[in-house]
């Protein structure tokens, strides 16, 4: 049974509380995603679980797709365009505007509306210009000197004698 499989994998709607359980859908223009989207829409209707539209973002602008493929090739030690090179199927993995998302999910407007519901449920405060770092008690008032001494001690433990160029860095 479909519901039993979903509950076994993810828990039921009560696990997360009323109004906090969604089926995620994405649309990057791939045939497989279209099939999955239609299937998830059926499940959504059958089980009365709302869908939410999301977008897999790997770069900010569409024009950055080629750069992303170069970075993946470097990371995987491949050549761009090589037959077994890992690459995205298209250039749709960028940060889309609200209008682009609405267009991508024009047949499922409720999935777009649900992103706003989730956003309103989030409570996140951020102070720009304020760096927040963990506080560590150190045996001296000179934190920089203490960090340097700890780094040098760790390097010495790893290498024995520290080469001059390492110590300089």
């Amino acid at each position: 049974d479909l519901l039993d499989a979903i509950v076994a994998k993810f828990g039921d709607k009560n696990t997360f509380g009323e109004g906090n359980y969604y089926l995620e859908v994405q649309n990057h223009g791939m045939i497989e995603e279209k099939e999955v989207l239609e299937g998830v829409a059926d499940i959504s209707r059958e089980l009365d679980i709302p869908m939410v539209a999301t977008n897999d973002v790997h770069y900010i602008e569409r024009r950055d797709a080629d750069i992303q493929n170069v970075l993946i090739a470097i990371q995987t030690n491949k050549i761009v365009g090589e037959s077994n090179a890992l690459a995205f199927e298209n250039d749709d993995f960028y940060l889309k505007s609200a209008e682009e998302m609405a267009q991508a999910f024009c047949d499922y407007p409720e999935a777009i509306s649900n992103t706003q519901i989730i956003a309103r449920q989030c409570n996140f405060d951020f102070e720009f210009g304020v760096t927040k770092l963990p506080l560590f008690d150190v045996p001296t008032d000179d934190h920089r000197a203490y960090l340097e001494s700890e780094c040098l001690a760790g390097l010495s433990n790893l290498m024995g004698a520290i080469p001059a160029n390492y110590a300089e860095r």
Side-chain angles (χ1 to χ4, degrees), residues 1-3 6 13 23 39-49:
D1 178 55
L2 180 60
L3 179 57
I6 290 173
K13 290 191 280 188
L23 299 174
V40 171
D42 291 342
I43 294 168
S44 173
R45 285 187 292 276
E46 182 180 332
L47 301 179
D48 193 31
I49 301 171

Side-chain angles (χ1 to χ4, degrees), residues 5 43 46 52 59 61 69 76 80 97 130 143 153 168:
I43 294 168
E46 182 180 332
V52 61
Y59 38 90
E61 297 178 5
N69 284 333
T76 58
V80 174
S97 68
V130 176
H143 289 231
E168 176 69 24

Side-chain angles (χ1 to χ4, degrees), residues 4 21 37 53-55 75 106 144:
D4 291 337
Y21 195 84
L37 179 56
T54 66
N55 191 59
Q75 184 179 34
C106 61
R144 183 179 179 85

Side-chain angles (χ1 to χ4, degrees), residues 144-161:
R144 183 179 179 85
Y146 178 73
L147 176 61
E148 183 178 341
S149 71
E150 287 295 297
C151 290
L152 289 172
L155 189 57
S156 178
N157 285 339
L158 286 173
M159 302 186 79

Side-chain angles (χ1 to χ4, degrees), residues 40-119:
V40 171
D42 291 342
I43 294 168
S44 173
R45 285 187 292 276
E46 182 180 332
L47 301 179
D48 193 31
I49 301 171
M51 295 190 306
V52 61
T54 66
N55 191 59
D56 195 3
V57 176
H58 288 262
Y59 38 90
I60 301 299
E61 297 178 5
R62 182 186 294 269
R63 68 179 185 213
D64 296 332
D66 289 338
I67 295 168
Q68 176 70 15
N69 284 333
V70 169
L71 291 172
I72 291 171
I74 291 168
Q75 184 179 34
T76 58
N77 199 27
K78 300 288 181 185
I79 297 171
V80 174
E82 193 174 10
S83 63
N84 63 348
L86 179 65
F88 288 104
E89 187 171 316
N90 60 41
D91 61 359
D92 251 18
F93 293 84
Y94 66 97
L95 184 61
K96 294 184 178 96
S97 68
E99 294 78 21
E100 289 171 309
M101 289 296 287
Q103 179 61 38
F105 294 95
C106 61
D107 294 334
Y108 307 97
E110 70 281 5
I112 295 293
S113 299
N114 288 335
T115 63
Q116 293 301 313
I117 292 170
I118 292 171

